Amino acid sequence: MKKPMTLKNSASNALLAFLVLTFILLTFPSQVRSAESDDPILVAQVGSGIIGAVEKENGSAPTDDDFDDDIWGDAKTQQQTGASDPWEGYNRAMFTFNDFMYFKITKPVTQGYMYVMPLRPRTWINNFFQNLLYPVRVTSCLLQAKFFTAGAETSKFVANTVIGMGGLGNVAGSQQSTMPLYLGNEDMGQTFGVWGISNGPYFVIPVLGPSTVRDAVGLGIDTFVLNPFWWFGIPWYYSVSAGAYNQINKLSFHLGEYESLKEGAIDPYLALRNAYLQYRTKQVNDAKRGRPAPTSSIVTDPNAETQPTN
Amino acid sequence: MKRITTISIFLLLLSLASLACFAATANSPLERLRSGVQSVINVLNDPQYKGVVDKQDEMNAKVREAVKSFFNFRELSKRTIGRPWLKFSSEEQDRFISLFTQLLEETYLGRIEDYTNEKVSFDKETIIKAKYAQVDTRLLTNKEAIPVIYRLKLIDNAWNVYDVKIEGISLVNNYRSQFAGILDTSSNDKFETSKKELFTRLEQKCHELKDQQEKK
């Protein structure tokens, strides 16, 4: 009699907490990005940094300017990637720490794991976690009114759970499948971005890496409210180890990416900060609906000689 | 005699046809980019170099040459510095271009061996203000399609790449944020010292990368 109660309680608590948070965020004076307003927009103040202060562009550029980056309508993107970094001292220290952790612990562990675990089971495990985290993604899709993607996520979830052995297989959404699905990998940080909340100060999370105040809050909601690991009264140490395992498994597919970013950088801290902010901006601004376009007929042929271009 | 005339007419037609081709490539950023990328891939797939350890240097030189034919490193360098570029003397500009080009080459040539017959799909071409173009491409790997966007500018009647965006991350923007962290434009003195620092750090990085390459 006791067990179902706790189960129900924790689930309803999570739901309540989520609804309250959503309500708070929705009633926030979140200023929708608008081109007309020139005034700095104040959304909220956290510590010393001001979240959402959009700096005014100083001076208007001449019309035919070689350095004008707005030819592609990038002004909005530029603003979002312009970093506010009031905690740079802390961030740089944490970057060094994370760098050390990555090369001394995470990477060797992952390499050992890759040595033991072949590619196939790793893919299954990746699919399994991806499938399990469906609530995280679908909630954000719905909150961003991305109904097409939410539908795609749902059908993928159902198909993979039912036919794909509880998510181990990926019967939908792979390139070979007959019905490619557009999946944006949505999360709460992106949802806040779509709602018009700016990044806020850049913030390096210990071990996890680059983030901003907005994305850190989103990550918190994703992890503790929407992630099924934290439902059903599962003890926290199980949840944490499962999460860590997922991260290691995921990293095994992305080993070397951080190294190559760092290799070409003059200032790795700034390079990573900029890359993170640009990547998130792209994720926030991605299309509301859409399918991946079919492969264009114009393709390079890896095996052919130079082809005449007619 | 008749044979010779036929052959010469044939040759004439052929050259006309290739001329028409050439004109078409000059006009379209997409075609220009495609032939450029194809030329790099051709070098990478050349059985003469593929997997031959001794000829790696020769291959690298050929790739470098192929990339230079459709990238504009002057424009690229200019944009990574941004407005302070105008305060660089022309010698400093040239020095920066050669160092930065070297940095990019050393970084990316090291990754050539990662190429395993991936295809590139050229999806869309957009031209703005008659001299800027954007070509959307996707790198098709076994698992996924990685969006890569090229930005080109028409200079001296040729479309050349000045920025590459991979997964939304612009190369120029990324380096600009790093250089802006070093260059201090608040006063002339500070600008001069920070410019010196920029050059030393660039040289240092190129040196590091070269050592790494040689170790391999």
Side-chain angles (χ1 to χ4, degrees):
Chain A
M1 195 60 217
K2 215 178 169 188
K3 243 187 174 173
M5 276 298 284
T6 47
L7 199 151
K8 208 177 159 190
N9 271 351
S10 61
S12 63
N13 277 348
L15 194 71
L16 187 72
F18 174 63
L19 282 175
V20 168
L21 264 165
T22 317
F23 182 70
I24 293 171
L25 284 162
L26 278 172
T27 49
F28 243 57
S30 66
Q31 177 82 42
V32 179
R33 295 179 292 265
S34 73
E36 302 97 69
S37 71
D38 281 334
D39 308 324
I41 302 156
L42 202 81
V43 176
Q45 216 160 1
V46 174
S48 56
I50 297 168
I51 300 181
V54 177
E55 268 180 47
K56 206 170 153 182
E57 289 256 335
N58 40 346
S60 53
T63 39
D64 196 37
D65 183 356
D66 270 354
F67 298 101
D68 184 10
D69 290 306
D70 199 27
I71 40 169
W72 295 104
D74 274 357
K76 195 170 78 178
T77 320
Q78 295 287 328
Q79 260 174 9
Q80 284 171 358
T81 49
S84 124
D85 198 350
W87 308 318
E88 190 168 341
Y90 155 82
N91 281 339
R92 274 191 189 267
M94 195 43 80
F95 168 80
T96 316
F97 171 73
N98 283 349
D99 186 72
F100 175 81
M101 287 288 282
Y102 177 79
F103 283 108
K104 295 289 173 217
I105 297 172
T106 328
K107 195 182 169 188
V109 167
T110 310
Q111 279 168 334
Y113 171 70
M114 280 169 83
Y115 182 73
V116 180
M117 194 72 99
L119 177 66
R120 250 164 191 240
R122 276 190 286 127
T123 316
W124 295 334
I125 289 157
N126 195 38
N127 290 341
F128 172 76
F129 278 111
Q130 187 76 4
N131 201 48
L132 198 71
L133 294 177
Y134 158 77
V136 175
R137 297 189 303 273
V138 81
T139 313
S140 283
C141 287
L142 290 174
L143 289 174
Q144 293 175 40
K146 289 183 176 171
F147 298 117
F148 180 85
T149 315
E153 286 278 7
T154 308
S155 45
K156 188 181 170 186
F157 174 71
V158 171
N160 280 345
T161 309
V162 177
I163 314 169
M165 311 249 291
L168 288 179
N170 184 14
V171 291
S174 64
Q175 252 191 12
Q176 291 82 13
S177 81
T178 44
M179 186 191 152
L181 298 172
Y182 170 78
L183 301 171
N185 249 337
E186 303 298 336
D187 56 49
M188 274 320 274
Q190 288 177 57
T191 308
F192 295 156
V194 170
W195 289 352
I197 300 172
S198 314
N199 273 311
Y202 181 67
F203 174 62
V204 180
I205 306 177
V207 186
L208 295 180
S211 188
T212 63
V213 168
R214 180 192 76 192
D215 290 345
V217 171
L219 185 70
I221 296 173
D222 283 339
T223 315
F224 295 111
V225 184
L226 300 174
N227 188 329
F229 289 155
W230 298 91
W231 301 352
F232 316 118
I234 298 169
W236 64 271
Y237 37 88
Y238 283 136
S239 313
V240 170
S241 5
Y245 178 54
N246 180 23
Q247 289 305 323
I248 296 281
N249 190 65
K250 215 191 238 165
L251 181 66
S252 72
F253 294 96
H254 299 277
L255 222 54
E257 283 174 13
Y258 173 64
E259 286 86 333
S260 46
L261 177 84
K262 209 183 153 194
E263 194 189 2
I266 296 281
D267 185 337
Y269 168 75
L270 290 180
L272 187 64
R273 184 179 83 184
N274 177 277
Y276 175 78
L277 291 174
Q278 282 200 63
Y279 182 64
R280 292 297 286 180
T281 306
K282 181 219 161 203
Q283 282 190 314
V284 168
N285 293 331
D286 63 4
K288 209 165 193 179
R289 59 164 290 168
R291 293 159 195 277
T295 305
S296 155
S297 55
I298 314 163
V299 180
T300 54
D301 187 349
N303 301 316
E305 294 291 300
T306 321
Q307 286 173 342
T309 49
N310 49 4
Chain B
M1 187 64 203
K2 204 180 173 191
R3 208 170 184 187
I4 289 171
T5 18
T6 336
I7 289 172
S8 54
I9 285 173
F10 183 70
L11 279 177
L12 189 75
L13 279 174
L14 204 70
S15 64
L16 275 176
S18 62
L19 252 177
C21 282
F22 184 73
T25 39
N27 284 334
S28 155
L30 195 149
E31 276 308 325
R32 163 89 175 157
L33 184 69
R34 183 169 85 128
S35 59
V37 172
Q38 183 71 60
S39 69
V40 174
I41 288 179
N42 284 343
V43 178
L44 295 181
N45 273 329
D46 198 332
Q48 191 187 340
Y49 306 120
K50 214 173 185 180
V52 184
V53 185
D54 305 342
K55 286 201 165 178
Q56 288 307 303
D57 284 344
E58 204 184 319
M59 180 171 101
N60 285 353
K62 274 224 161 172
V63 170
R64 216 172 275 171
E65 204 180 294
V67 169
K68 272 195 177 143
S69 72
F70 69 105
F71 267 69
N72 188 335
F73 283 106
R74 171 167 285 272
E75 188 70 19
L76 210 151
S77 308
K78 186 171 124 186
R79 280 169 183 269
T80 51
I81 292 292
R83 249 167 250 284
W85 183 254
L86 301 172
K87 287 202 242 165
F88 277 49
S89 69
S90 62
E91 294 90 59
E92 281 168 340
Q93 290 182 353
D94 290 339
R95 192 172 155 213
F96 180 83
I97 293 166
S98 85
L99 274 173
F100 187 51
T101 310
Q102 202 184 332
L103 171 89
L104 291 177
E105 280 173 0
E106 297 293 341
T107 313
Y108 290 97
L109 282 177
R111 268 173 247 161
I112 275 182
E113 54 220 48
D114 296 342
Y115 176 78
T116 42
N117 279 7
E118 282 90 357
K119 276 186 185 176
V120 181
S121 157
F122 297 87
D123 298 333
K124 204 175 113 194
E125 151 189 301
T126 326
I127 300 178
I128 272 188
K129 285 188 185 169
K131 64 172 182 176
Y132 293 99
Q134 173 171 312
V135 179
D136 296 10
T137 74
R138 274 175 301 163
L139 182 67
L140 308 173
T141 68
N142 288 331
K143 269 174 41 211
E144 54 195 343
I146 302 161
V148 181
I149 292 173
Y150 291 87
R151 286 187 172 166
L152 301 92
K153 194 177 177 187
L154 187 68
I155 299 170
D156 298 331
N157 211 27
W159 288 104
N160 282 323
V161 178
Y162 71 84
D163 193 6
V164 186
K165 262 181 139 179
I166 304 166
E167 290 271 27
I169 300 166
S170 144
L171 178 84
V172 165
N173 192 313
N174 194 278
Y175 275 105
R176 186 165 47 218
S177 78
Q178 296 177 49
F179 295 150
I182 297 168
L183 283 175
D184 184 347
T185 48
S186 56
S187 75
N188 274 342
D189 286 349
K190 277 183 183 164
F191 183 60
E192 287 302 320
T193 31
S194 61
K195 202 159 56 182
K196 265 193 196 117
E197 204 205 322
L198 177 76
F199 279 118
T200 20
R201 282 175 84 164
L202 268 172
E203 267 164 1
Q204 211 182 323
K205 189 79 210 178
C206 287
H207 212 76
E208 256 173 56
L209 286 166
K210 268 223 172 103
D211 284 352
Q212 248 175 45
Q213 285 281 16
E214 271 159 27
K215 262 185 210 161
K216 278 184 186 170

